[in-house]
Amino acid sequence: MTSESGEHSDAPGGDPVWWGWGAAEAHHPLPAAVRDLLAALGIAARPSPPVDLADVLLAPVRLPVEVLIELRAVVGADHVLEDREARVRHCRGRSTVDLLRLRAGDASDAPDVVVVPADHAQVLAVLRICSHHRVIVVPFGGGTSVVGGLVPSTPAGTSPADGPADTHIGVVALDLRRLDSVREVDPVSGTAVLGAGLRGPAAEALLAEHGLTLGHVPQSWEYATIGGFAATRSSGQASAGYGRFDQLVTGLRVATPVGTWEPGRGPASAAGPDLRQLALGSEGAFGVITEVTVRVRPLPRRRRFEGWRVANLAAGLDLLRELAQRDLLPTVCRLSDEVETAAGLANAVTAGTDVTVPATSAVTPTSLPVIAGCYLLTGYEGGDADVTERATAVGTVITAAGGLPLGEGVGQDWLAGRFHAPYLRDALLDEGILAETLETAAYWRDVARLYAAVGRAVTDAIESDGSPAVVLCHVSHVYPAGASLYFTIVCAQGPDPISRWSRAKQAAGDAIMANGGTITHHHAVGTEHRPWVRAEIGDVGVTVLRAVKAALDPAGILNPGILLPPQAE
């Protein structure tokens, strides 16, 4: 099914596989070109399939019978799930570390039960029960977190504001998939009230019935949910045109253990600090988002995507800064560095030229077969005249800066393959190759320095034991003041891939904080970025967040160990 705008309006179909990303029918073997390129770089494939579901290690359900009875009375017995598959499917998110553990048969972090409420009232009732009995609650949307956002933890030395420490009696995954309606559409105001459990494609399909679009399309779009977008401050591929998700939110409805919280009244207000900002990005630690009021726009009449080649990354960054500061950004804007340009070509995501591995295999981790220059994608959505005018103005600036047009065909290639990267990651894992991403953002003055520092830190951390690594990067979110950097790292898994990645992640986080970056631009904090949150927001900021947590969740049951940094020693 395709919407009027040409947007995909449904996911590949069915639930995601439990051991990887997306639907089973969309998975594929590792492309030969990628295998050959990695082999030439010294990264050899070694089959590493996931274990069978029946062999996954799962702890017994810990919840007392009386708690299960109370939960069933609220949502119905059919919506309190204790079976193996439901618990494994709600175990962790979809980071590479999450998947490595699941594929190895470790589901020790699985919830005791999965509870599937039907509405806001049932969510409130579940929270009251769990708060009373000190049961941890992990809100669950699409399960697409890549930063450990679905793994509650209670490290030694935590306070009640972190969670119930060793006093909790179990974990409930609160699956919001039944909160999947469009409750209200206001075409006069240009807003819609969306259920938190709506997946991206379903939300777009329902809005399209009214001739409207949200325009928020992150790479996780096929499976991520409206509530998840809000809880993590998601940023979509068309952020330059539509804005980040937090910029689209005008109001929220949040269930907390102490009652209903509804921040946001009117399009703007001076009635004190904007409390929406406390709910946005809260990652389930302050409450459960059940409804989101968002800004919507008319479906675009036309969509146009083009490819360009610019001389190098530095020239591309200067070009993006000029476009942003002249208010000429396209709706979609993506700049790949030289390494990603070459690797993308090898993966048959074309940019005007075919790339093959030289017969001599004379390639090194720092010398991929790079076609000169960097690939720049530009995309436009809107009315016919608006798209033409914008594309012409942007094209004039790019051409004046020495950019070479590659045509609309390569732009359409990107559009057709833009959700494929997670499936490629699974194909790499099947072959014993580790692939993971990390992201950051900085002011323009720091972007080039940050890019070099993070790439060097990650490479040194992985190659310290003699294993080669490939580090790719692109810019996909651009602002007048700065831009994001999105890194992809590929290396052999080795005997302990989780340790190898942890070392690289630590080095990357330290380099980010030392070189003017934010620890996360759109992936959120989860558990993986907690070590750097205090450095990012300061001791006073941490105190503010702890006070909010204590006020809304006094028993500390909501996703403990997520977002808030550990207490300072």
Side-chain angles (χ1 to χ4, degrees):
M1 182 168 62
T2 302
S3 72
E4 182 179 334
S5 68
E7 193 69 77
H8 300 290
S9 58
D10 206 353
D15 287 328
V17 295
W18 64 267
W19 46 263
W21 179 267
E25 62 266 26
H27 283 81
H28 54 76
L30 189 65
V34 176
R35 182 191 299 271
D36 292 345
L37 178 56
L38 292 174
L41 294 168
I43 303 175
R46 290 182 174 84
S48 182
V51 304
D52 292 333
L53 179 61
D55 295 327
V56 173
L57 297 177
L58 200 60
V61 173
R62 294 169 292 172
L63 287 182
V65 172
E66 59 266 28
V67 176
L68 293 173
I69 291 172
E70 290 183 44
L71 292 172
R72 290 168 185 150
V74 169
V75 302
D78 291 343
H79 300 297
V80 178
L81 311 176
E82 304 174 55
D83 61 282
R84 165 177 288 271
E85 183 169 352
R87 294 177 65 201
V88 171
R89 284 187 175 279
H90 291 76
C91 180
R92 311 189 188 100
R94 286 298 177 265
S95 72
T96 294
V97 170
D98 290 336
L99 296 184
L100 284 169
R101 287 175 173 154
L102 281 174
R103 292 166 66 93
D106 174 10
S108 56
D109 294 324
D112 293 285
V113 296
V114 179
V115 176
V116 192
D119 54 30
H120 179 85
Q122 288 190 3
V123 174
L124 279 175
V126 169
L127 294 185
R128 282 194 293 268
I129 291 169
C130 292
S131 185
H132 174 72
H133 291 286
R134 303 190 73 84
V135 176
I136 289 174
V137 175
V138 180
F140 192 98
T144 60
S145 171
V146 292
V147 290
L150 300 175
V151 186
S153 61
T154 52
T158 55
S159 71
D162 292 299
D166 294 330
T167 64
H168 68 269
I169 62 170
V171 178
V172 164
L174 192 66
D175 191 320
L176 302 173
R177 62 181 181 241
R178 295 170 71 194
L179 281 68
D180 61 352
S181 66
V182 174
R183 189 169 66 82
E184 177 185 309
V185 175
D186 179 355
V188 176
S189 303
T191 61
V193 181
L194 308 180
L198 272 172
R199 286 183 180 178
E204 282 295 329
L206 291 170
L207 289 172
E209 295 175 3
H210 300 271
L212 300 169
T213 182
L214 182 58
H216 184 73
V217 187
Q219 191 171 77
S220 61
W221 177 76
E222 294 172 308
Y223 291 96
T225 61
I226 295 296
F229 295 153
T232 60
R233 290 188 180 272
S234 173
S235 195
Q237 295 166 346
S239 63
Y242 291 93
R244 291 165 54 98
F245 193 78
D246 52 7
Q247 295 172 306
L248 305 179
V249 175
T250 65
L252 302 109
R253 195 176 197 203
V254 185
T256 80
V258 297
T260 297
W261 179 31
E262 297 184 293
R265 181 182 179 91
S269 172
D274 187 349
L275 295 182
R276 291 174 302 179
Q277 301 305 319
L278 285 175
L280 293 167
S282 59
E283 302 182 41
F286 298 162
V288 179
I289 296 170
T290 60
E291 289 181 351
V292 185
T293 303
V294 293
R295 179 188 177 193
V296 291
R297 306 188 193 193
L299 279 167
R301 294 177 59 85
R302 184 182 175 197
R303 305 170 78 232
R304 172 176 170 179
F305 293 85
E306 303 173 325
W308 299 82
R309 190 173 294 279
V310 296
N312 50 49
L313 183 64
L317 291 173
D318 286 343
L319 178 59
L320 293 185
R321 179 168 59 85
E322 179 181 357
L323 291 173
Q325 294 178 348
R326 290 178 57 180
D327 194 26
L328 280 177
L329 281 175
T331 309
V332 177
C333 187
R334 179 187 175 111
L335 172 69
S336 295
D337 72 356
E338 292 87 347
V339 181
E340 184 172 278
T341 297
L345 295 172
N347 189 32
V349 180
T350 63
T353 313
D354 290 329
V355 170
T356 55
V357 180
T360 60
S361 295
V363 227
T364 70
T366 56
S367 178
L368 283 167
V370 179
I371 303 287
C374 293
Y375 177 49
L376 171 65
L377 172 84
T378 58
Y380 311 86
E381 297 185 7
D384 292 334
D386 291 340
V387 166
T388 298
E389 180 180 351
R390 196 78 166 176
T392 300
V394 171
T396 298
V397 175
I398 297 175
T399 301
L404 301 176
L406 301 174
E408 293 189 45
V410 295
Q412 290 299 320
D413 284 346
W414 173 84
L415 187 66
R418 61 178 168 163
F419 300 126
H420 291 178
Y423 294 101
L424 176 60
R425 190 261 305 263
D426 283 348
L428 289 165
L429 291 177
D430 285 341
E431 297 293 343
I433 297 170
L434 188 151
E436 185 57 299
T437 63
L438 58 89
E439 41 74 55
T440 181
Y443 290 112
W444 284 117
R445 71 186 180 209
D446 297 321
V447 168
R449 173 167 58 97
L450 181 62
Y451 165 81
V454 173
R456 183 170 56 249
V458 170
T459 301
D460 289 349
I462 292 175
E463 296 186 350
S464 62
D465 62 3
S467 176
V470 178
V471 180
L472 312 86
C473 185
H474 68 256
V475 174
S476 54
H477 307 287
V478 181
Y479 310 93
S484 69
L485 293 171
Y486 191 97
F487 294 89
T488 300
I489 298 93
V490 181
C491 64
Q493 289 183 18
D496 187 354
I498 293 176
S499 176
R500 176 168 287 176
W501 173 248
S502 296
R503 189 168 65 244
K505 180 71 172 180
Q506 180 70 45
D510 291 345
I512 286 170
M513 300 311 293
N515 289 276
T518 173
I519 196 59
T520 175
H521 172 262
H522 60 270
H523 279 174
V525 174
T527 55
E528 288 196 6
H529 293 142
R530 286 182 80 213
W532 296 279
V533 168
R534 188 177 296 275
E536 173 114 3
I537 68 174
D539 290 342
V540 173
V542 172
T543 299
V544 171
L545 293 186
R546 288 190 178 280
V548 173
K549 173 76 168 174
L552 297 175
D553 180 23
I557 63 162
L558 286 170
N559 225 5
I562 307 298
L563 181 64
L564 297 176
Q567 291 276 36
E569 296 183 1

